[in-house]
């Protein structure tokens, strides 16, 4: 788990030094999950489950879950983010796809 968290944190280019405590908490929680991942020991299963849920919450707060990233992308597209210097629209990154609403399944009455 620690390796996966390190890769995730490295990919979060938006993190700043003020996020340091939350980043360290994510690392420590990942280490806990790894320590509780003893094969064949079912007595640690509940503790591992709680530690995993805690890690997910920390990553969520750091913006490192798919749901949070999608919310941020949709919000930025709705806001029509503009450059502070030129006033022109900033193009969406390669990782942002155009949001399309699903077709309605039944006609309106």
């Amino acid at each position: 788990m620690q390796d996966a968290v390190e890769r995730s944190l490295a990919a979060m280019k938006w993190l700043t030094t003020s996020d340091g405590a939350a980043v360290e908490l994510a690392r420590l929680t990942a280490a806990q999950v790894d320590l509780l991942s003893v094969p064949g020991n079912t007595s640690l299963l509940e503790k591992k489950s709680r530690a995993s849920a805690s890690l997910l919450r920390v990553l969520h707060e750091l913006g490192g879950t798919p749901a949070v990233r999608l919310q941020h992308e949709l919000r930025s597209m709705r806001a029509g983010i503009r450059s502070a210097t030129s006033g022109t629209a900033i193009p969406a990154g390669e990782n942002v796809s155009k949001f399309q609403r699903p077709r309605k399944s039944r006609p309106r009455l």
Side-chain angles (χ1 to χ4, degrees):
M1 187 60 70
Q2 288 173 297
D3 292 338
V5 167
E6 285 301 325
R7 287 191 304 273
S8 296
L9 291 173
M12 294 182 210
K13 303 298 183 195
W14 55 86
L15 296 178
T16 64
T17 54
S18 63
D19 299 315
V23 167
E24 189 59 28
L25 182 59
R27 287 182 175 129
L28 289 172
T29 309
Q32 275 185 332
V33 171
D34 284 346
L35 287 173
L36 295 170
S37 299
V38 179
N41 192 343
T42 57
S43 64
L44 297 176
L45 192 58
E46 185 178 334
K47 289 181 182 181
K48 180 183 175 184
S49 177
R50 283 193 304 241
S52 297
S54 178
L55 177 59
L56 184 61
R57 281 192 302 274
V58 173
L59 292 174
H60 179 84
E61 290 298 321
L62 289 171
T65 61
V68 173
R69 288 193 312 273
L70 178 62
Q71 288 173 355
H72 287 249
E73 290 171 5
L74 292 175
R75 188 178 306 133
S76 66
M77 287 191 307
R78 262 197 316 267
I81 294 180
R82 300 196 172 273
S83 168
T85 55
S86 67
T88 59
I90 298 173
E94 294 176 5
N95 63 337
V96 179
S97 58
K98 183 176 179 180
F99 179 76
Q100 295 180 343
R101 295 194 181 274
R103 295 180 65 179
K104 295 189 181 209
S105 58
R106 56 181 130 140
R108 290 186 186 186
L109 299 176

